[in-house]
Amino acid sequence: MATDLHRAVTVRDLTRSFDGRPVVDGLDLTLHAGQFTALLGHSGCGKSTLLRVLAGLDREVSGTVLVPRRRAVAFQAPRLMPWKRVWRNVLLGLPGKPDRAVAEKALAEVGLGERSGAWPKTLSGGEAQRASLARALVRDPDLLLLDEPFGALDALTRIKAQRLVAELWQRRGCTVLLVTHDVDEALLLADRALVMRDGVIAYDTAVDLDRPRSPATPRSPRSAPACSPNSASRRGGRREGGLSPAPVHAPSPRTPRPRIRPVSARAPVPAHTLALALAPIPVRPSEKRVP
């Protein structure tokens, strides 16, 4: 595991196998500083494995991985220690002996300033997730990794949490990689959407929508061509989708142009485009006849 002084993520020919079966298989990926990227894919395709590798939690890999020195991760489960008060949970794992004021500053940023002395069991699901996010932010990360952090929240709490993450990202300007199953969530939050399949990046597109966004932001379902998963072909360790190349317009000065495959629809990316990219590839029946 190495670090990149330019605060970008660079992955080349990454492979991670379990019991001889590759879950991540020769994957290439580049994320630029300040970019918000959503990573989608079916369960078991390797999304969380990739995130754990980038977080430094899984080192049994081959290939090249360059990441920022300062990085933090928030999981779907808040993972708060019930015997520690909220502010102590936020400081958990920090080097040295930071005082309570450091934790309270991070908690205030996520709207939990008045709950710093509470026990985790007294928090609602949304509050616990915000405490988990504060624990990541207190490390002042250049790379923030989010592994389906909204998956267990109810609909209204989920919308509030998504809005909070978008505001924090715009305020801090860190690089964010969000693992999600929700296409609408990817279009709501990200500048770039990736679909992972068979251990590689099968589809890569820019999300060219103005900010601020809301769940009611129009997706223009007929304004961009659909990406047929049947047209994907393996090239250089990853698959290439069906959208034609077009200039990528960054939504903010902090969002550089992606290097992997800068493809985009000229109109806003429709939800059904990513949904089709996530659809399973039909398997042709064998032509062999059983005697």
Side-chain angles (χ1 to χ4, degrees), residues 88-169:
R88 292 190 182 276
N89 268 280
V90 170
L91 298 180
L92 194 65
L94 278 181
K97 295 182 178 180
D99 56 26
R100 180 170 176 169
V102 175
E104 289 182 340
K105 181 180 179 181
L107 287 167
E109 194 172 7
V110 299
L112 279 183
E114 297 180 354
R115 303 285 281 156
S116 64
W119 295 104
K121 290 293 186 181
T122 67
L123 301 180
S124 67
E127 289 175 332
Q129 198 56 262
R130 281 187 281 163
S132 174
L133 186 58
R135 185 168 55 193
L137 294 176
V138 79
R139 287 156 173 76
D140 193 22
D142 292 326
L143 173 63
L144 179 60
L145 302 165
L146 305 175
D147 192 2
E148 300 188 63
F150 317 122
L153 302 179
D154 63 81
L156 293 179
T157 305
R158 184 186 184 99
I159 291 173
K160 293 179 181 178
Q162 290 169 340
R163 186 182 300 117
L164 173 63
V165 167
E167 292 172 354
L168 291 172
W169 168 70

Side-chain angles (χ1 to χ4, degrees), residues 124-270:
S124 67
E127 289 175 332
Q129 198 56 262
R130 281 187 281 163
S132 174
L133 186 58
R135 185 168 55 193
L137 294 176
V138 79
R139 287 156 173 76
D140 193 22
D142 292 326
L143 173 63
L144 179 60
L145 302 165
L146 305 175
D147 192 2
E148 300 188 63
F150 317 122
L153 302 179
D154 63 81
L156 293 179
T157 305
R158 184 186 184 99
I159 291 173
K160 293 179 181 178
Q162 290 169 340
R163 186 182 300 117
L164 173 63
V165 167
E167 292 172 354
L168 291 172
W169 168 70
Q170 297 227 356
R171 188 183 310 146
R172 286 176 170 257
C174 58
T175 306
V176 177
L177 179 62
L178 168 68
V179 170
T180 179
H181 284 95
D182 191 331
V183 172
D184 288 330
E185 183 172 273
L187 297 178
L188 176 66
L189 295 174
D191 298 324
R192 179 184 179 196
L194 309 174
V195 176
M196 194 168 178
R197 177 183 288 138
D198 298 332
V200 296
I201 303 302
Y203 182 71
D204 178 0
T205 187
V207 181
D208 196 8
L209 296 171
D210 295 332
R211 294 184 184 273
R213 302 172 190 168
S214 72
T217 300
R219 305 296 185 215
S220 299
R222 298 181 182 178
S223 62
C227 173
S228 170
N230 294 326
S231 66
S233 62
R234 191 73 175 261
R235 298 179 183 175
R238 60 180 179 274
R239 296 175 184 264
E240 307 249 335
L243 286 180
S244 58
V248 176
H249 302 287
S252 70
R254 292 194 307 268
T255 309
R257 180 173 178 170
R259 291 178 184 169
I260 290 185
R261 198 169 63 86
V263 297
S264 171
R266 295 185 182 274
V269 178

